Amino acid sequence: MQAQIKTPDYRLKAWEGDSAAMVELGEAFQFGRGVEKHEDSADIYINKAADLGHPEAMYLIGTKCLIEVFSPTQYAKGLSFLRKAAAKGHAESQFRLTKVYSTRGKKNQTDNYYNLKKAYQYSDSAAVQGHKQALLYCAEARLKGSGTPQNDSIAVAYFKQSSDKGFIPGIIRMGNMYWEGKVTGKIEPQLALAEYRRVFSLGYANIDQKGRADIGIHQIDQFYKQIQNTYLDGNPAMPAGLFNYRLQE
C-alpha cells in the first residue's frame, strides 16, 4: 500500500498525467519532503514519468542504474535512459554521460565505455546550456587535446565562461591562464591576482579551493618581489625605502 501524500495538488496533477508532477511527487516520496519517505512510491511515479518521456525522470532512473547495480545489463539500461534524456537536451544527463565515457581504470562497467570523443561531445552539449562542470571539462579537454583538437583560445573561452558563472574551480583555472600567458599571449599577473582573490570573496569556497588560490597569490607576490630585488640590485644608490619589501635572502 502506498504512503499517503500530504500535497494533493501534486497527486492530482500526477493522476491527470502531468509527468513533471509525477517527478516532483516521486522525489517527495524519495526524500521525505512533506510526506513520509516511501521508496516504492517514489519508483512508481518516477518510472511513470520516464515512460512518458520526461527527461528528469529518465536521468534519475539512469543514474540509479549506474550507481546501484553494476551488472552489464543494468548498466546498459542506465545508459539508455541517460542517452534518451540527453537527446532531449537534459544537461545533467549529458554531463553524467561525459563522466561515463571519460572514466577508465575502475575495473567495472565504466571501462567498457571509455571514449574521450563521446565524452567531449556530450560535455560540449551541456556546456552550451551553461553547465558549469561541463564548461570546465571542455576547457581542460581543449587545453590537452583530449577527445577534441587542442586549442588554447577555445580553452580560455570555456574557462572564462566558467569563471563568469562564479564556479570556483573555473575561477582558479582562469587565474592560471592569465598567469601562464595563455589569454593574451603574455603573463598578466594583475589579472591573475584578481581571479585568485575572487575566491576569498565567495562564501561558498572550501578550504582546498582557498588553498589553491592562496598558492597562486603567493606565486605572484614572489614574482613582484623578485622584480623589485633585481631592480634594487642593479641600482644600489636607490633609496632602501622605495619598495615596501625585499625578498628574504
Side-chain angles (χ1 to χ4, degrees), residues 79-101:
L79 288 182
S80 177
F81 274 110
L82 289 172
R83 290 189 190 111
K84 289 176 183 177
K88 289 176 174 286
H90 191 263
E92 285 297 338
S93 293
Q94 291 164 346
F95 191 65
R96 170 65 69 175
L97 287 167
T98 294
K99 291 191 282 188
V100 168
Y101 287 118

Side-chain angles (χ1 to χ4, degrees), residues 2 10-18 21-22 25 45 48:
Q2 290 186 15
Y10 283 177
R11 184 172 58 189
L12 290 173
K13 288 181 180 179
W15 285 352
E16 291 169 358
D18 187 320
M22 291 177 188
L25 196 53
Y45 284 109
K48 282 183 179 179

Side-chain angles (χ1 to χ4, degrees), residues 126-246:
V128 169
Q129 300 182 68
H131 192 287
K132 297 174 184 178
Q133 291 173 294
L135 286 166
L136 192 60
Y137 179 91
C138 288
E140 299 289 3
R142 281 291 187 174
L143 205 60
K144 301 171 185 174
S146 177
T148 186
Q150 190 274 339
N151 189 306
D152 286 357
S153 296
I154 295 177
V156 167
Y158 278 122
F159 279 129
K160 188 172 190 312
Q161 289 181 65
S162 180
S163 174
D164 289 346
K165 287 181 174 295
F167 188 48
I168 293 176
I171 294 172
I172 294 169
R173 293 296 282 128
M174 192 63 205
N176 296 346
M177 292 300 99
Y178 281 123
W179 180 234
E180 294 170 15
K182 294 185 180 294
V183 181
T184 63
K186 63 180 181 179
I187 296 175
E188 299 280 4
Q190 285 300 104
L191 295 176
L193 194 60
E195 292 291 323
Y196 296 138
R197 284 176 174 167
R198 276 183 65 201
V199 174
F200 292 92
S201 69
L202 299 172
Y204 49 88
N206 62 37
I207 294 175
D208 178 64
Q209 291 164 342
K210 289 178 180 179
R212 282 183 285 157
D214 198 41
I215 289 172
I217 292 171
H218 177 73
Q219 289 176 331
I220 294 170
D221 186 54
Q222 293 299 301
F223 170 74
Y224 280 127
K225 287 179 179 179
Q226 189 62 58
I227 291 175
Q228 292 173 2
N229 281 2
T230 300
Y231 186 80
L232 287 172
D233 290 343
N235 297 271
M238 188 67 63
L242 181 64
F243 297 113
N244 291 330
Y245 46 59
R246 284 180 61 91

